[in-house]
Amino acid sequence: MRVFPSLLIFAAATGLRAQQGEMGELLTARHGANGTWNLYMPSSEGLTWSKAQAFAEGKIDPAGGTGKKGHLATISSGAENTFVYHYLGSRIVWIGLTDDAKFPGAKKAKGLQDQGWAWVTGEPVTWTNWQSSEPSNNDITDGKDDDGVTIENGGFWNNRPNGAAGKGIAYRFMIEWDVQSPKPVAGARVIGAILPPKWPAPDPRPVEDPEKPWVCANTAEQPEEPGLADLAKSISKDWDGTNYFRMSDLNFRMGMTSHRNAFGWIFGSWNEFPANVMNNFGMLARARLRIPKAGTYTFDVHADDGFALRLGTHKWKAVQGSGGIDPCDETTLFGMLLSSDTDVRGVIELPAGEVPIEVFYINGAAEGCLQITTAEGEHLREGSTDRWRNLGYKPAANVPWPGVSAEGWKVTIPIPGENCKETAENALLDTIARVEDPAAKVTTGCDVIHFHDPECTRRTRFPGAVPFPNDPPGPQDDRVVMAEATLVIPADGTYNIGIGGDDLCALATSGQKWSRVVRDAGRGYARIDGDSISVRRSEKNVSHEIIGEIKLAKGSYPIRGVSWDRNGTSAMNIFAAPVGWPGRLLTKNKAGIEADIPGLEVLPFKP
């Protein structure tokens, strides 16, 4: 058969996260309406969603003097989402979102992301962060009542049984009281600005070095996984002129024997981190940027594990990804999920001329990496432009961009399986082989592979997704999609080619062997099997994106991709780039040679 016969079952992964808030400790943070301060308290034990909400409602405001009842935390921004997840320090945590009709405004969402869900407080749902394949629709047929919502790996949301029908798992949670105080609530631990207003004066004063413009200092290794704000305070308190070192480029990795866990777009050369630290530390790097003209710029940061970024006194205007803008200091963009890919894009207005830049980076255990790219204009989705360039990047003469032939893409979609009935592991290959069924619907001449369920409202990497061909209303469970085309390579070289999907995705270039996996959003489950790369879903809240590296001579090659979605909404895209450049969708008639562009120039740090 045409499909991928070697797809195997992969083992499960585990991960540890730091305990950032004491159980039962009162916290006050600036996530209330109109910049006010609310009260929060991490739970001391796990409960089902229904019991957690009832427990929270039984707790009256303990410090703000409002007499208000508590509730499961509601989320209105990426910053608050990060705060709740980070300060609970648990892998899965309940939040106060539900489609249980007993709460005002809620009704059965039936697997949709933007309908039926309501906050337990009745406040409007203005910000969401669903995993692309969630929410699932299990409650229709199996009685699980997936009416509660959790924050899980990477800060993404999932719906799970709420426990009201006796079926539910106990998870920890954050209680919130909407005290909306104009100042921090007395008696609670204040979650203030992440970075200090200014850093201590360097001693001795560093001499300018155009070859190594970044002046850096690091903390010692800590006994356990760190918190971003705590490490920033630590480096100021223990400031020591002997811990200075310099870097020529802030695009670095540490402890990585391969690029597979470095999740950024740019997969070219990397620097090894020069400091003699590895685990549980913070590092401050400072330099200057030369802004060629006044206007809007977007900074895209990928960090393993966390970061904070400040450009003088200029305030960030918008943000998208797994972080946010510090509510106590709008000049600071941050991400602190202690995630293998803390991925954040921030939009800012900058004047022409020189702008100071401060980057505070943290790494937890084992591997680490940092990549900062910029692009002119506003680009809240990473794939909305292919003009991302590393800080200090010097352009090549020309760039060879792959595409597909004038015939475009052929897309085959067999009849989906039965809704809410999961495919058995030993039947998966038979499920994928349905693309050979003569009754499968075939669409030819597609410009690109960039499809989604219209009900899938999570921000995908690329903008402008269209419905799957012949897509009926609502999500389809157990859906298989096969895409085939002729790949056109305009010049000999090494290329990155990738596919995004849900529970399974695979990509093959007939007869051409892949060199290695360079990105694996399935957390280590991707594999190479000759001319194919593939990945199976390892956890129920993981959507996959895999990118492989391959050497190809100028010419044309058959290429095919497969995506399989077990349940819920889904999306699929196929993209490529020469090694060292950001990806773009593989598009009909778009192969060719193009001129390169530079990144923002990095100048030596000045105190």
Side-chain angles (χ1 to χ4, degrees), residues 8-10 422-429 536-537 564 566:
L8 302 178
I9 298 173
F10 297 92
E422 292 190 358
T423 300
E425 296 289 352
N426 59 7
L428 182 54
L429 288 179
R536 283 277 296 278
R537 189 179 210 179
W564 168 68
R566 171 177 281 147

Side-chain angles (χ1 to χ4, degrees), residues 257-571:
T257 56
S258 74
H259 291 58
R260 65 186 302 148
N261 291 328
F263 284 179
W265 268 118
I266 311 301
F267 301 108
S269 61
W270 290 71
N271 296 304
E272 289 296 332
F273 189 62
N276 188 28
V277 286
M278 181 69 185
N279 300 316
N280 305 330
F281 75 93
M283 184 269 291
L284 171 65
R286 292 184 288 178
R288 294 173 294 148
L289 300 180
R290 176 169 286 148
I291 309 302
K293 62 179 181 180
T296 302
Y297 292 83
T298 304
F299 284 68
D300 182 19
V301 184
H302 288 268
D304 179 356
D305 290 293
F307 78 95
L309 170 63
R310 188 161 58 189
L311 301 171
T313 58
H314 303 288
K315 295 181 179 181
W316 297 92
K317 304 298 183 183
V319 64
Q320 191 261 334
S322 56
I325 300 169
D326 187 343
C328 295
D329 177 9
E330 294 178 31
T331 68
T332 299
L333 181 75
F334 77 100
M336 60 176 184
L337 289 170
L338 289 177
S339 165
S340 54
D341 186 18
T342 297
D343 168 22
V344 184
R345 280 161 299 288
V347 178
I348 196 167
E349 297 288 330
L350 294 175
E354 297 180 7
V355 173
I357 178 171
E358 305 170 10
V359 181
F360 196 87
Y361 166 78
I362 67 169
N363 186 52
E367 301 174 337
C369 71
L370 178 67
Q371 175 188 288
I372 303 177
T373 61
T374 63
E376 188 176 351
E378 180 174 320
H379 304 287
L380 289 176
R381 297 197 191 189
E382 198 164 32
S384 65
T385 182
D386 53 34
R387 299 176 73 83
W388 300 108
R389 296 297 184 269
N390 286 330
L391 296 176
Y393 171 76
K394 294 178 173 56
N398 294 295
V399 185
W401 287 96
V404 298
S405 69
E407 290 74 25
W409 289 92
K410 174 184 175 182
V411 179
T412 303
I413 305 179
I415 297 172
E418 184 178 346
N419 274 0
C420 304
K421 182 178 180 180
E422 292 190 358
T423 300
E425 296 289 352
N426 59 7
L428 182 54
L429 288 179
D430 292 337
T431 299
I432 296 172
R434 295 202 313 256
V435 297
E436 303 284 2
D437 188 337
K441 293 183 178 180
V442 176
T443 304
T444 59
C446 296
D447 288 347
V448 297
I449 301 300
H450 186 26
F451 304 129
H452 72 153
D453 288 313
E455 299 82 10
C456 180
T457 56
R458 179 187 163 202
R459 298 171 293 272
T460 55
R461 183 177 295 275
F462 297 95
V466 299
F468 286 94
N470 305 302
D471 189 55
Q476 283 74 56
D477 291 350
D478 197 21
R479 172 166 51 193
V480 181
V481 182
M482 168 79 85
E484 300 169 280
T486 298
L487 176 68
V488 179
I489 298 297
D492 297 356
T494 305
Y495 295 87
N496 292 142
I497 306 177
I499 182 170
D502 276 293
D503 300 289
L504 173 148
C505 51
L507 193 63
T509 51
S510 183
Q512 307 300 312
K513 293 186 177 181
W514 299 84
S515 304
R516 60 188 177 126
V517 174
V518 293
R519 172 168 165 77
D520 175 11
R523 300 180 181 89
Y525 298 92
R527 59 168 290 153
I528 294 176
D529 185 12
D531 67 354
S532 71
I533 56 174
S534 61
V535 65
R536 283 277 296 278
R537 189 179 210 179
S538 56
E539 300 176 21
K540 285 188 176 293
N541 68 324
V542 173
S543 289
H544 290 306
E545 182 181 83
I546 51 173
I547 302 173
E549 181 179 284
I550 189 169
K551 292 183 178 180
L552 295 172
K554 179 180 179 180
S556 299
Y557 306 87
I559 184 172
R560 69 187 186 278
V562 164
S563 178
W564 168 68
D565 176 46
R566 171 177 281 147
N567 57 35
T569 55
S570 60

